[in-house]
Amino acid sequence: MSTVIASSEDVQHPGPQTQERGQRAVFCGLTSIIWLHRRIQDAFFLVVGSRTCAHLIQSAAGVMIFAEPRFATAILGERDLAGMADCHEELDRVVSELIARRSGINRLFLVGSCPSEVIKLDLETAAAKLQTKHENRVRISAFSGSGIETTFTQGEDECLKSTVAELPVLEASKQNLIVLGTVSDIVEDQFRRLFDDLGIKDVHFYPGRKAGDLPAVGKGTRVIAAQPFVGETARALIGRGAELISAPFPLGAEGSKAWFEAVAATYGVDAERTQQVLEMPYQRAKRAVSVHRSKLEGKRIHLLPDSQLEIPMARFLSEECGLGINEIGTPFHDQLVMRGELARLPKEVPIVEGQDLDPALSRVRASRPDLTVCGMGIANALESEGLRTKWSIELVFSPVQGFDQAGDLAGLFAKPLARQEILEVGSWS
Amino acid sequence: MELTLWTYEGPPHVGAIRVAASMRDVHLMLHSPQGDTYADLLFTMIEREGRRPPVTYTTFQARDLGSSTAEMVINSLRESAERFKPQVLLVADSCTAELIQDQPGALALGADLPVPVIPLEMAAYTRKENWGAAETFYQLVRGLLSRQAPPPGTERPPREPGARPSVNLLGPTKLGFRCRDDVVEIERLLSSMGVDVNVVAPLGASPQDLQAIPKADANVNLCPEVSDLTCSWLARTFGMPTISTIPMGWGATRDFIAEVASALGLDVDVDAVGESRLPWYSRSIDSTYLTGKRVFVFADGSHAIAAARVARDEMGFEVVGLGTYSRERARDVRAAAKEYGLEALITDNYLEVEAKVQELQPEMVLGTQMERHIAKRLGIPCAVISTPAHVQDYPARYSPQMGFEGANVLFDTWVHPLIMGLEEHLLHMFRDDFEFNDSVGPSHLGSEGEGARAQDSSSGAGQPDDGAIVWDFEAEKELKKIPFFVRGKARRNTEKFAVEHGLTTIEVDTLYDAKAHFSN
């Protein structure tokens, strides 16, 4: 385990851990395109799939009106499936058409889907071939966002992993830090200021704001995850010599403090200086969280699987907001990146990996928690049964990391409860 | 492979879900990979339903492909039959499941389930959402009614003397365009004619309700995209007449009333049935400036045809383009387009629609959610008249498109995005105002239209194809004095004029020559 800088804490969660299999009400990895296209502004995402894939993305993103769409689907037809058309030639034609239409693209991602995986269409080879053809104009790579292989945020992991091989080699004498996983622009700026104050130089956020923002990687690279769903990319970076810093995720005052402390310790920053730099934002975060604590304290929460953010969220809610945790569902439990979190969880909280939807909902109904964190396919149905919900996707779409978002994060959970008190209208179903 | 930026319809299994979710006591078992449950959100978020759609998904993953996905199908079937106790269980494949060929329909028939099963063949790679809805509805109705069918050639007995005439409203579904309120409006209209509604389906019906369909005197084919197939089967099998006028717009509503009266043998005074404000609003002088506004219409077949009629005959617009993405309705739309002296655009390719709008430079687009993207890019006012639509087109307020109140809604909705009369006049006269100018949207929209006018709609696209024509600097400046919403058309006409007259440079005079030339 030399590649992981483990903290001294116990990394095992002592509570009950089970796996569940059955119907899963989760998104596929294609959904990650919804935020990745905004983070990497000069990238284009071309899904190779069916009309279902196209429909998924536009149902999610099409409420916004695009003068210039930044994603599309190459829809497979009968001819492609019957082998009457050469899929590689077809893809070549579609990509050329696309590049002609959109001159501002610097990176094209070919995104695999269930149909393309099932018929074993090799998009990586296709990407390599197309790269040769469009050299100097656009970088092309491929990753899978299929439902059969990826759940929701895992799409980002696959996307990032697909460019790891392209990262330049870090010079032997140099050191750098990669912050892994999409964070919002303002969080990036705040983090940079704190790293500066700690004297930590050469910090790269991956993915960056432009497709060409590729950090170098090598023996002197340290990686810290800002998001819990980047395990495969972390492994790929470790494979190129980087070291992974183990820490809880920067959610809430405590999570953020521990996260920065872990980085500072790895860099050998003087402990006194670290405390000096972090003290003011830490206290500010504590104050901001305390505003919402009265709404949340003593309430019981139930988290259904969605994004892999469930474990760190539950930790924040129990540790800093005083909520009782009924159950933590997670679509996938990656022990590598979750090391820093587990020991901070209350010992009796059950973690359920995977899902069997109807029995899972029966457990929610039986225990009637004060708040259920769940996907939007379920939220309104539970609301109409008189249960309060927090739709989970918002956690991926909001600036929630770092000290100065800790209050906002608590606010996201407090809001449905506050709303319940404000509204004097009945429900409708 | 087909490059698709936006798709007008979902896959056919979404149509099947729409039918199941519209009904009561029907459950759908869909063989599909993890992730296809996104379709639930169409109902819980866009339609804002307070229940999960009645669909069980097998949600297989990669690791299941090695073992038996067929077993998952059987387990899911058993569990959904037991848990939800539907009157009918529908079984279908999604696109990925179609590739692995587990034949869930055949498995279901062989599984000895305690509930009637109707297997559906969805043909995901050739067919689309509306076809899926139509096929599902047809299979359900046929499955439930074929045993009741009289022997071929049986005359339909006349209505009992004294019995109230009744019709079925067929076709409305969840995720249809304003179906919720259209049904209310048409029921009200029929009731004021003394006509009862026997069954509304699929929306709100149970399988038991479907069995009562033959009791009505006729079927109203309200949403042909969904109900055409079923109506013609009912006509063939039970001799039930089909009422096919879509009552959208003032005139069409009156035609509908007349058609219902004639199909049921009723004596009805059309004027006494109801009235709309559209005719007077459209006649009042405030609407004079709407005359000849050039509109482009693109929608599903029935909404496109109905909207074109309202646009020309009831609003006084000029319909400069008409098209549909519903291939099943291509013939009807072509026939309608002919009446406007147009060639219909039949395509489901968003890029083709975009190119057409760019070429025609209309002053307004009546389309779908997808045309809103086009209109934003080209800076053209736009109103949504058909699916695909998004959450803002499933409003809380009563907003039918059909019947007399529907005509009122259409008038307000279509006029709203246009610049209002006074503002339009003043923009013609004074170009350089710091607050009211081309670079901002209509002021009555507040910031809604902002940015929409940031670019000249014809920049790039308006350049002549051969590249041989050059705009003189002064002429280009003069062109800019023409208000934004008609500038694209002026540019195009001038260039056309120049080509026709063998000119290579456009000067100020060319611009005005062209204006005079096209002014009749």
Side-chain angles (χ1 to χ4, degrees):
Chain A
M1 272 313 203
S2 63
T3 50
V4 178
I5 307 164
S7 60
S8 56
E9 294 169 75
D10 179 11
V11 295
Q12 289 306 312
H13 172 59
Q17 295 196 47
T18 45
Q19 287 195 333
E20 212 175 25
R21 290 188 67 175
Q23 187 185 184
R24 292 170 66 112
V26 289
F27 284 128
C28 64
L30 295 181
T31 328
S32 57
I33 294 171
I34 308 298
W35 65 90
L36 286 172
H37 85 267
R38 288 292 172 88
R39 175 64 183 176
I40 318 172
Q41 290 191 18
D42 53 348
F44 193 99
F45 296 83
L46 179 66
V47 177
V48 181
S50 67
R51 194 167 298 282
T52 309
C53 310
H55 193 239
L56 158 77
I57 298 175
Q58 84 177 36
S59 301
V63 70
M64 298 175 290
I65 309 298
F66 287 83
E68 280 299 347
R70 301 182 207 170
F71 41 79
T73 309
I75 295 183
L76 296 162
E78 289 235 296
R79 287 168 46 80
D80 304 301
L81 299 177
M84 286 160 68
D86 180 325
C87 281
H88 288 278
E89 277 172 27
E90 284 290 290
L91 198 55
D92 189 348
R93 178 179 59 75
V94 166
V95 166
S96 301
E97 197 181 323
L98 188 67
I99 291 174
R101 187 188 147 87
R102 292 294 311 277
S103 51
I105 308 172
N106 289 319
R107 158 77 60 178
L108 177 66
F109 288 106
L110 303 178
V111 191
S113 66
C114 302
S116 72
E117 300 291 339
V118 167
I119 65 168
K120 306 257 179 272
L121 184 54
D122 183 357
L123 291 181
E124 276 173 38
T125 307
K129 272 192 198 162
L130 288 165
Q131 180 66 80
T132 326
K133 183 171 170 183
H134 299 282
E135 201 68 59
N136 304 327
R137 280 205 62 180
V138 56
R139 297 290 303 165
I140 302 175
S141 49
F143 70 92
S144 170
S146 75
I148 56 178
E149 291 164 314
T150 59
T151 305
F152 194 29
T153 47
Q154 280 178 317
E156 174 170 332
D157 197 15
E158 293 291 319
C159 174
L160 296 180
K161 194 179 74 174
S162 78
T163 52
V164 166
E166 281 178 44
L167 302 183
V169 177
L170 184 72
E171 282 176 48
S173 60
K174 295 209 166 159
Q175 285 198 333
N176 67 356
L177 176 69
I178 296 178
V179 179
L180 191 54
T182 293
V183 290
S184 61
D185 296 345
I186 192 164
V187 170
E188 176 180 338
D189 296 343
Q190 291 167 0
F191 281 15
R192 278 192 190 284
R193 278 198 295 273
L194 286 170
F195 284 129
D196 278 349
D197 292 347
L198 290 167
I200 296 170
K201 305 249 176 302
D202 282 323
V203 181
H204 301 271
F205 285 75
Y206 186 41
R209 298 182 196 197
K210 293 280 176 196
D213 275 351
L214 294 176
V217 61
K219 282 279 176 224
T221 300
R222 279 138 183 174
V223 176
I224 183 138
Q227 295 281 12
F229 43 75
V230 290
E232 291 301 311
T233 309
R235 286 181 180 84
L237 289 169
I238 290 169
R240 290 202 49 187
E243 282 182 320
L244 179 67
I245 301 173
S246 181
F249 293 95
L251 296 168
E254 303 299 339
S256 302
K257 185 157 176 274
W259 191 80
F260 276 103
E261 281 171 348
V263 179
T266 311
Y267 270 81
V269 180
D270 178 45
E272 203 172 316
R273 181 178 182 187
T274 306
Q275 293 314 310
Q276 207 178 1
V277 169
L278 300 181
E279 187 58 15
M280 205 168 66
Y282 173 69
Q283 291 301 341
R284 200 159 59 205
K286 297 275 276 186
R287 278 200 304 280
V289 172
S290 70
V291 172
H292 301 285
R293 191 172 166 119
S294 61
K295 278 254 158 15
L296 294 167
E297 197 160 17
K299 298 279 196 297
R300 280 180 315 122
I301 194 165
H302 192 119
L303 297 100
L304 291 172
D306 187 53
S307 62
Q308 300 182 51
L309 276 159
E310 296 80 10
I311 290 174
M313 284 293 166
R315 183 261 304 156
F316 162 72
L317 292 169
S318 74
E319 191 176 50
E320 297 188 42
C321 303
L323 278 101
I325 312 290
N326 246 9
E327 176 180 315
I328 304 174
T330 180
F332 180 61
H333 186 171
D334 189 334
Q335 306 275 351
L336 175 70
V337 289
M338 220 46 91
R339 297 169 152 261
E341 288 287 342
L342 296 174
R344 290 170 165 257
L345 279 177
K347 305 239 177 293
E348 68 288 354
V349 173
I351 296 177
V352 181
E353 186 186 15
Q355 188 174 33
D356 188 4
L357 180 62
D358 286 305
L361 287 179
S362 299
R363 291 200 297 275
V364 173
R365 290 182 181 119
S367 67
R368 296 197 70 80
D370 297 295
L371 199 58
T372 304
V373 180
C374 62
M376 294 197 276
I378 298 162
N380 271 338
L382 290 179
E383 289 282 345
S384 75
E385 294 176 26
L387 291 164
R388 292 286 78 76
T389 59
K390 167 76 217 91
W391 51 282
S392 50
I393 299 146
E394 194 173 13
L395 305 169
V396 181
F397 287 153
S398 307
V400 293
Q401 288 81 9
F403 294 108
D404 290 312
Q405 280 65 241
D408 303 341
L409 178 57
L412 286 180
F413 295 93
K415 198 179 271 180
L417 299 171
R419 191 167 178 76
Q420 166 165 275
E421 282 175 27
I422 293 166
L423 292 185
E424 295 194 351
V425 292
S427 67
W428 171 281
S429 51
Chain B
M1 244 176 244
E2 179 199 347
L3 176 62
T4 309
L5 276 82
W6 300 106
T7 170
Y8 284 96
E9 293 181 68
H13 72 256
V14 169
I17 301 176
R18 273 171 57 190
V19 170
S22 300
M23 294 185 61
R24 293 176 291 122
D25 301 325
V26 171
H27 199 87
L28 170 64
M29 205 295 300
L30 193 68
H31 193 24
S32 65
Q34 160 177 280
D36 279 5
T37 49
Y38 82 88
D40 286 356
L41 274 69
L42 304 171
F43 301 89
T44 59
M45 299 305 293
I46 295 180
E47 275 272 7
R48 266 182 242 258
E49 293 261 85
R51 65 162 192 168
R52 284 172 52 222
V55 186
T56 299
Y57 303 80
T58 50
T59 59
F60 56 85
Q61 292 175 271
R63 61 180 176 202
D64 302 313
L65 292 176
S67 58
S68 175
T69 45
E71 210 168 286
M72 298 179 82
V73 171
I74 298 196
N75 290 340
S76 293
L77 283 164
R78 292 237 164 82
E79 280 169 24
S80 33
E82 197 174 311
R83 187 181 294 271
F84 300 102
K85 299 193 170 39
Q87 288 176 23
V88 173
L89 187 59
L90 301 169
V91 182
D93 266 334
S94 80
C95 53
T96 304
E98 197 176 315
L99 298 174
I100 57 179
Q101 303 202 329
D102 281 327
Q103 315 279 359
L107 289 173
L109 294 174
D112 191 28
L113 296 165
V115 52
V117 171
I118 296 184
L120 303 168
E121 294 284 339
M122 287 285 95
Y125 295 91
T126 47
R127 304 295 193 161
K128 296 195 284 273
E129 177 178 336
N130 282 334
W131 181 88
E135 174 70 10
T136 304
F137 187 42
Y138 166 66
Q139 293 297 349
L140 247 173
V141 169
R142 206 183 71 155
L144 291 166
L145 289 179
S146 49
R147 256 180 293 169
Q148 287 185 36
T154 311
E155 275 290 306
R156 198 173 163 74
R159 188 165 67 240
E160 306 234 341
R164 276 173 68 90
S166 72
V167 295
N168 302 311
L169 299 187
L170 301 186
T173 54
K174 294 281 177 192
L175 287 180
F177 196 72
R178 307 291 168 86
C179 285
R180 177 196 71 196
D181 298 337
D182 281 344
V183 166
V184 174
E185 185 65 19
I186 297 308
E187 279 185 317
R188 187 181 294 171
L189 188 82
L190 289 165
S191 151
S192 59
M193 295 173 67
V195 174
D196 287 343
V197 171
N198 178 47
V199 174
V200 180
L203 194 64
S206 68
Q208 215 161 10
D209 294 333
L210 295 188
Q211 289 182 317
I213 283 179
K215 289 189 185 138
D217 300 310
N219 292 312
V220 174
N221 190 9
L222 208 57
C223 308
E225 278 72 16
V226 176
S227 46
D228 229 2
L229 204 55
T230 303
C231 284
S232 58
W233 182 78
L234 290 167
R236 280 199 313 277
T237 314
F238 291 91
M240 299 178 77
T242 303
I243 292 157
S244 52
T245 305
I246 307 292
M248 186 173 141
W250 179 78
T253 300
R254 291 169 65 92
D255 291 352
F256 172 79
I257 294 166
E259 191 184 352
V260 171
S262 110
L264 302 180
L266 308 174
D267 185 21
V268 172
D269 173 8
V270 175
D271 289 324
V273 175
E275 197 40 279
S276 166
R277 287 183 204 96
L278 180 142
W280 168 244
Y281 270 52
S282 195
R283 185 71 72 182
S284 72
I285 57 165
D286 197 48
S287 300
T288 312
Y289 85 111
L290 301 177
T291 314
K293 285 246 182 249
R294 309 170 65 258
V295 301
F296 177 82
V297 180
F298 194 84
D300 70 22
S302 39
H303 286 88
I305 295 169
R309 176 173 173 185
V310 176
R312 184 184 67 180
D313 299 347
E314 299 174 21
M315 304 289 282
F317 296 148
E318 183 192 352
V319 179
V320 294
L322 176 60
T324 185
Y325 58 83
S326 319
R327 284 186 193 278
E328 297 87 352
R329 307 295 314 282
R331 193 194 301 188
D332 301 336
V333 176
R334 281 204 186 92
K338 212 172 232 176
E339 278 185 45
Y340 302 90
L342 299 170
E343 174 119 19
L345 176 66
I346 312 292
T347 182
D348 55 5
N349 183 339
Y350 167 83
L351 293 173
E352 263 181 60
V353 180
E354 185 184 72
K356 192 73 182 172
V357 176
Q358 205 152 26
E359 179 202 323
L360 293 170
Q361 293 291 333
E363 288 162 81
M364 163 129 109
V365 175
L366 298 174
T368 72
Q369 177 76 7
M370 304 306 130
E371 277 62 53
R372 296 180 69 193
H373 301 293
I374 296 172
K376 177 183 182 187
R377 177 155 185 251
L378 303 177
I380 301 172
C382 178
V384 175
I385 58 165
S386 152
T387 54
H390 228 296
V391 62
Q392 61 270 49
D393 280 299
Y394 294 83
R397 66 180 185 277
Y398 186 56
S399 339
Q401 304 285 286
M402 295 183 181
F404 291 128
E405 181 60 25
N408 296 341
V409 172
L410 293 182
F411 183 89
D412 291 345
T413 310
W414 296 7
V415 170
H416 179 76
L418 295 168
I419 293 184
M420 293 200 293
L422 174 65
E423 185 159 346
E424 182 175 310
H425 281 109
L426 289 171
L427 278 176
H428 269 286
M429 289 183 69
F430 310 108
R431 318 273 325 127
D432 301 326
D433 191 273
F434 63 86
E435 183 180 355
F436 302 94
N437 58 55
D438 277 354
S439 63
V440 296
S443 63
H444 76 285
L445 299 182
S447 58
E448 266 179 64
E450 228 168 311
R453 311 212 170 281
Q455 51 175 334
D456 187 331
S457 71
S458 54
S459 63
Q463 299 301 322
D465 292 338
D466 52 22
I469 295 179
V470 181
W471 280 76
D472 169 75
F473 179 70
E474 286 299 319
E476 185 85 45
K477 247 171 74 183
E478 198 72 8
L479 180 73
K480 293 259 161 72
K481 295 177 186 166
I482 296 168
F484 184 84
F485 38 88
V486 282
R487 193 183 303 148
K489 168 84 171 161
R491 179 192 283 275
R492 208 167 62 96
N493 277 350
T494 309
E495 285 166 359
K496 194 168 150 202
F497 178 83
V499 170
E500 280 169 14
H501 290 77
L503 302 172
T504 51
T505 308
I506 293 172
E507 296 180 11
V508 174
D509 279 328
T510 325
L511 184 67
Y512 287 114
D513 286 343
K515 186 183 178 198
H517 178 77
F518 288 107
S519 67
N520 46 17

